[in-house]
């Protein structure tokens, strides 16, 4: 990332701190956005689909997007 330029420094530093568990959770979350949850379950080696369901954030993401778009306090500088 750093080879791409100084504007990627923050992201590079963030990835440097990543653990195997964080990478696994990130992969599971991204897979759950686009794949059948049973396939994600099998990829992650979960015995129970309920365990895999913690990676599904679709409803949380929708709620956050709606709240962010409609509830603005104007704290950011223009």
């Amino acid at each position: 990332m750093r080879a791409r330029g100084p504007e990627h420094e923050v992201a590079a530093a963030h990835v440097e701190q990543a653990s195997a568990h964080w990478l696994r959770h990130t992969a599971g979350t991204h897979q759950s956005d686009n794949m059948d949850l049973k396939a994600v379950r099998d990829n992650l080696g979960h015995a129970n689909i309920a365990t895999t369901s913690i990676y599904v954030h679709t409803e949380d993401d929708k709620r956050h997007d709606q709240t962010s778009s409609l509830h603005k306090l104007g704290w950011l500088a223009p």
Side-chain angles (χ1 to χ4, degrees):
M1 292 181 127
R2 286 189 176 94
R4 296 180 72 189
E7 65 274 13
H8 297 281
E9 177 59 35
V10 172
H14 185 71
V15 171
E16 276 182 337
Q17 300 301 311
S19 66
H21 183 257
W22 179 83
L23 291 170
R24 177 181 168 83
H25 184 79
T26 300
T29 298
H30 287 287
Q31 288 177 21
S32 72
D33 288 343
N34 301 305
M35 294 173 58
D36 181 85
L37 203 55
K38 290 177 185 175
V40 179
R41 176 200 60 200
D42 295 344
N43 287 345
L44 296 174
H46 294 155
N48 189 323
I49 198 79
T51 303
T52 311
S53 69
I54 66 168
Y55 294 94
V56 178
H57 301 289
T58 306
E59 291 301 315
D60 293 337
D61 293 343
K62 284 180 188 176
R63 186 179 67 249
H64 177 266
D65 291 346
Q66 288 178 352
T67 302
S68 295
S69 68
L70 298 173
H71 184 68
K72 303 221 183 248
L73 295 175
W75 288 352
L76 299 176

